[in-house]
Amino acid sequence: MASVPSLASTVQQRLADGLSAALPEAASADPLLRRSDRADFQANGILALAKRFKGNPRELATKVVEAIPANDVLKEIEVSGPGFLNITVTDAAIVETLAARAADARLGVPFDGSAGTTVIDYAQPNVAKEMHVGHLRSAVIGAAMVGILEFTGETVVRRHHIGDWGTQFGMLIQYLIEHPHELDHSSEAEVSGEEAMSNLNRLYKASRTLFDSDEGFKTRARARVVDLQAGDEETIALWQRFVDESKIYFNSVFDKLDMDIRDADVVGESGYNDMLAETCRILEETGVAVRSEGALCVFFDDVKGPDGNPTPLIVQKSDGGFGYAATDLSAIRDRVENLKATTLLYVVDARQSLHFKMVFETARRAGWLNDEVKAHQLAFGTVLGKDGKPFKTREGETVRLVDLLDEAVDRATAVVREKAGKVGLTEAEIVENGQYVGIGAVKYADLSTSAARDYKFDLDQMVSLNGDTSVYLQYAYARIRSIFGKAGDRVPVAHPELELAPAERALGLHLDGFAETVAEAAAEYAPHKLTAYLYQLASLYTTFYDQCPVIKPAPAREVAENRLFLCDLTARTLHRGMALLGIRTPERL
C-alpha cells in the first residue's frame, strides 16, 4: 500500500504552497511546523524568512495565509505575535487520515527509501562467566533497535560478539584435562541453564584457585594457551565444550528475556582468528599502524594519556599476541566486505567509547569505513541501584541477571494476581501474564531512558500501575480489548462527518504521529522516543476513556462507532509499538 501522509506533512505542504505563492524566491524554505498547545500546529519559520528577505514578519505571514487556497484540511490559520502561524485542522481531516492509517497493516509507517544493511553488534556475554546486570542494557537496547530498523525496511544482520577467546581458557582447559568429569551433566535429560552455569562457576573458581597457588599448574595452563592459539585439536575440542556449555546458559537467560538469539548470529572473538594476521599486515603495509617498542600501534593527535603523551591503539602486542583492537578491526573488515554492511551499529557500554572511537578512526584510515559505510556506537550508561550507586548486592557483589529477572517476574505476578479476579484469569494466564508484565517492566524501564544516561533499577516503580511504566501501557491495551467484548453489534467505523470532542481530537492527532516517531527512533537510534510516544498515547487514551463514553452511557450509534474506531487504532498502535520494543501486550489483564 502507498504510504499514508501524516496530517503534519499535509499541513506542511499547504504552507509551502502558500509560501512559494507569497514569496517565490523562498519556495524551498521550511515552514518549521510543530505540534502546539495553542492550536493543533504552529509554524514559526516565517520569522527567519522575513529576516533573510528584510521584510516585516507579520506582513509576510498574512500574505502566506492569504495565498493558501481554500481546502478541506485547514480549518483556521491565525497570525500570532511577531509572525507565528497557529493552525487548526478540520475534524474530518483528522478522521480521514486515521482511517487511511487503519486500512494499512503497517499503520501508515512507510518503508525507508534509503534503507541499507545494518549489522548490529549487541548482547555480548562472556563464555564461562555469569551474565550480570551490566549485560542487560546491550541486549534490551540492541533487540529494540533490531525491531525498529527492520520495520522501517532496513536489512538487519545481528551479531553477538561473545567473549570466547583469551588467556583464561588455558587455565580452564588445563583444569578440565586434569579433572575430566567437571563438566559432566547429572543426567541425559536436557540440561538447565542453572546447571550449566553452576558447572562453569565451580570449574572457574577451582581452576583460578589452583592457578594462583600451584606454580606447576600455572606453567601447564600457560603452555595450554599456546596450544589453543596454535589450533591444537584436543585443546580446541575442550574449548568447544566450554563454549557449548555457556550457550546452554546464555540461551536460558535470553529465553527469560523473551529474546530470540539465533546460533548463526553468535560470532565470538574466535570467529575472526583467521583474519588477525592479515589485518595487522594490511595496517602496517599501508602505514596506518607503525611499530613502537615492538608493538604494532596506531597513534592519534587528540588521544593522550594523563602524562600528556599520545595513547596509541595497540593492534598487536610486542610478544606477538593480538589485542581486542585486532579482533574489532577484523570484525569490521568481515562485516563490510562479506556482509556488505552500509552501517555498523555497536550497542556497547559508554565506558568503551574511547576504544571504539580509535577503532573506527583506524578503520577509516584503512579505507574500510568511508562516506558509504559508517560505524556508530550506541553507547549506554550504567544501571544504578535505588541509592544512585552502581547496582550491587548487599555483599558488594555484581547482581546476577537471572536473579533480577526472576524477582521482576515474581513482583509482576503478584500485581497481576491482585487484579485477576475482576477479569477471571486462570492460574495459567496469571503465570504467563506475570512473565510478560515482569520482563516487559524491565525492558521498558531501560528503554524509556535515553541510552546514554545512567538509570536507577527500582522494581517497585517498574511494576507500578501508575506512571511511565510498561504495566500502565499493557493495562491500557487490555482495557481497550475488553471494550470490544462489551460492544455487542457495534463495530469500529470512521465517521469523518462527526464533530470531535477535545479528548478525541487530542488522541487522534497523537495517533497520526506514529509513523514519524518510528522514523525518528530509527534514524537517531533512539528507542526512548518510541517509549515516550507510547506512554503519551496511553495517557491520552485514559483521558479519552474518562471523557468520551464508548459503551455506557450509550452514545448515538455513529458516535459509538467512531469512538470504537479510535479505540481500535489506539490498541493496534500500542500493540505494534510495544512489539517493536520487544514487549508483549496480553489481551486480558
Side-chain angles (χ1 to χ4, degrees):
M1 179 170 172
S3 68
V4 179
S6 67
L7 274 169
S9 65
T10 305
V11 171
Q12 176 107 352
Q13 190 53 56
R14 297 280 191 280
L15 286 180
D17 294 345
L19 251 175
S20 56
L23 194 64
E25 58 268 46
S28 60
D30 184 350
L32 296 181
L33 190 73
R34 58 182 178 79
R35 288 295 308 280
S36 166
D37 297 337
R38 295 165 184 271
D40 297 334
F41 298 98
Q42 185 179 74
N44 50 22
I46 289 173
L47 293 175
L49 270 178
K51 198 172 175 185
R52 200 167 104 206
F53 292 104
K54 301 190 170 38
N56 178 311
R58 263 193 87 91
E59 279 175 23
L60 178 56
T62 307
K63 269 190 189 169
V64 170
V65 174
E66 287 165 356
I68 296 173
N71 61 82
D72 53 2
V73 175
L74 304 178
K75 180 179 179 182
E76 186 186 353
I77 308 182
E78 174 208 9
V79 178
S80 159
F84 296 122
L85 296 181
N86 288 332
I87 300 148
T88 305
V89 294
T90 63
D91 291 352
I94 295 174
V95 177
E96 281 164 2
T97 303
L98 295 183
R101 286 196 180 286
D104 178 23
R106 294 174 52 81
L107 301 175
V109 178
F111 286 108
D112 179 359
S114 61
T117 298
T118 296
V119 176
I120 302 191
D121 188 325
Y122 70 107
Q124 312 103 342
N126 291 312
V127 165
K129 287 191 180 166
E130 190 124 34
M131 288 175 73
H132 55 78
V133 67
H135 289 111
L136 181 68
R137 299 205 75 184
S138 176
V140 170
I141 296 168
M145 283 317 309
V146 169
I148 291 167
L149 287 170
E150 282 188 334
F151 191 59
T152 61
E154 187 78 1
T155 301
V156 175
V157 182
R158 308 149 189 230
R159 277 291 173 267
H160 309 295
H161 190 90
I162 64 171
D164 65 353
W165 204 247
T167 52
Q168 77 275 17
F169 284 98
M171 174 181 90
L172 293 168
I173 293 166
Q174 190 58 38
Y175 189 86
L176 190 58
I177 287 172
E178 297 174 18
H179 305 80
H181 299 295
E182 282 299 305
L183 281 185
D184 292 355
H185 297 140
S186 55
S187 72
E188 291 299 306
E190 194 176 333
V191 185
S192 70
E194 203 59 46
E195 185 188 339
M197 195 62 241
S198 119
N199 277 347
L200 290 165
N201 263 341
R202 190 180 62 250
L203 198 148
Y204 191 89
K205 282 175 184 160
S207 65
R208 168 53 71 187
T209 304
L210 200 55
F211 187 86
D212 290 342
S213 62
D214 181 333
E215 281 303 317
F217 177 74
K218 185 181 276 191
T219 304
R220 295 193 298 279
R222 284 183 169 151
R224 188 59 59 182
V225 176
V226 177
D227 294 339
L228 177 66
Q229 289 174 338
D232 171 66
E233 265 182 46
E234 181 201 13
T235 306
I236 291 286
L238 290 165
W239 166 81
Q240 191 63 50
R241 283 192 68 187
F242 283 100
V243 174
D244 292 343
E245 193 80 3
S246 297
K247 280 185 179 175
I248 295 170
Y249 163 69
F250 295 158
N251 288 333
S252 73
V253 179
F254 290 125
D255 279 348
K256 262 188 212 292
L257 267 170
D258 195 13
M259 207 171 271
D260 175 29
I261 301 285
R262 301 179 296 226
D263 204 49
D265 301 329
V266 179
V267 183
E269 292 168 2
S270 63
Y272 305 100
N273 283 349
D274 295 347
M275 300 176 72
L276 300 178
E278 191 185 16
T279 296
C280 291
R281 182 181 60 72
I282 294 169
L283 292 173
E284 191 167 12
E285 283 179 4
T286 54
V288 172
V290 293
R291 292 280 165 190
S292 174
E293 295 173 27
L296 186 63
C297 303
V298 183
F299 287 92
F300 309 87
D301 293 338
D302 59 344
V303 182
K304 293 188 169 61
D307 56 3
N309 292 325
T311 303
L313 181 71
I314 298 173
V315 186
Q316 190 177 20
K317 301 170 197 165
S318 53
D319 64 2
F322 299 104
Y324 286 124
T327 309
D328 286 332
L329 288 162
S330 298
I332 289 176
R333 280 179 58 211
D334 174 60
R335 291 165 186 186
V336 174
E337 292 164 13
N338 300 326
L339 301 178
K340 306 299 180 205
T342 47
T343 304
L344 304 177
L345 184 61
Y346 291 78
V347 188
V348 183
D349 190 315
R351 287 170 292 195
Q352 295 188 47
S353 293
L354 179 59
H355 169 76
F356 278 101
K357 179 185 169 188
M358 292 160 80
V359 165
F360 295 162
E361 177 55 30
T362 301
R364 266 191 291 276
R365 291 179 189 179
W368 302 324
L369 296 178
N370 49 46
D371 290 346
E372 278 72 53
V373 186
K374 294 183 167 55
H376 178 80
Q377 183 193 355
L378 204 178
F380 55 82
T382 307
V383 181
L384 306 174
K386 280 188 191 179
D387 58 2
K389 294 177 181 161
F391 203 9
K392 301 272 192 220
T393 63
R394 281 187 187 143
E395 296 73 41
E397 299 286 314
T398 307
V399 179
R400 295 169 73 220
L401 187 49
V402 280
D403 293 344
L404 206 80
L405 298 177
D406 287 344
E407 193 184 343
V409 169
D410 289 348
R411 297 271 194 101
T413 305
V415 170
V416 172
R417 192 180 296 284
E418 220 172 278
K419 297 249 185 186
K422 286 184 187 171
V423 196
L425 296 180
T426 64
E427 182 59 27
E429 284 176 313
I430 291 171
V431 170
E432 185 179 77
N433 286 354
Q435 284 183 319
Y436 293 160
V437 171
I439 298 303
V442 170
K443 288 182 178 179
Y444 185 90
D446 194 322
L447 295 168
S448 59
T449 306
S450 163
R453 291 174 56 189
D454 299 344
Y455 84 97
K456 285 185 185 174
F457 197 96
D458 180 349
L459 274 177
D460 294 327
Q461 173 53 34
M462 286 180 190
V463 298
S464 164
L465 296 171
N466 305 311
D468 188 0
T469 64
S470 66
V471 197
Y472 177 67
L473 274 69
Q474 287 167 321
Y475 266 103
Y477 175 79
R479 177 193 271 175
I480 301 172
R481 299 306 308 151
S482 74
I483 286 175
F484 285 92
K486 304 169 192 160
D489 63 346
R490 300 189 173 190
V491 291
V493 180
H495 284 281
E497 75 281 2
L498 292 177
E499 195 174 316
L500 297 177
E504 292 174 306
R505 290 187 105 258
L507 179 62
L509 284 163
H510 190 69
L511 279 167
D512 186 50
F514 181 58
E516 282 161 359
T517 304
V518 171
E520 207 174 304
E524 297 176 22
Y525 306 129
H528 69 281
K529 295 206 164 177
L530 181 54
T531 56
Y533 170 89
L534 294 170
Y535 172 60
Q536 202 182 343
L537 178 60
S539 305
L540 288 166
Y541 180 79
T542 303
T543 307
F544 160 84
Y545 183 81
D546 292 343
Q547 295 179 6
C548 304
V550 182
I551 309 294
K552 286 181 181 171
R557 176 172 282 274
E558 289 82 2
V559 173
E561 288 176 344
N562 200 56
R563 286 178 180 170
L564 279 170
F565 162 72
L566 287 171
C567 288
D568 182 56
L569 187 55
T570 301
R572 286 173 59 196
T573 305
L574 280 171
H575 176 74
R576 168 66 75 189
M578 295 285 265
L580 293 181
L581 298 170
I583 299 173
R584 304 224 184 208
T585 38
E587 296 292 303
R588 301 198 312 149
L589 258 183

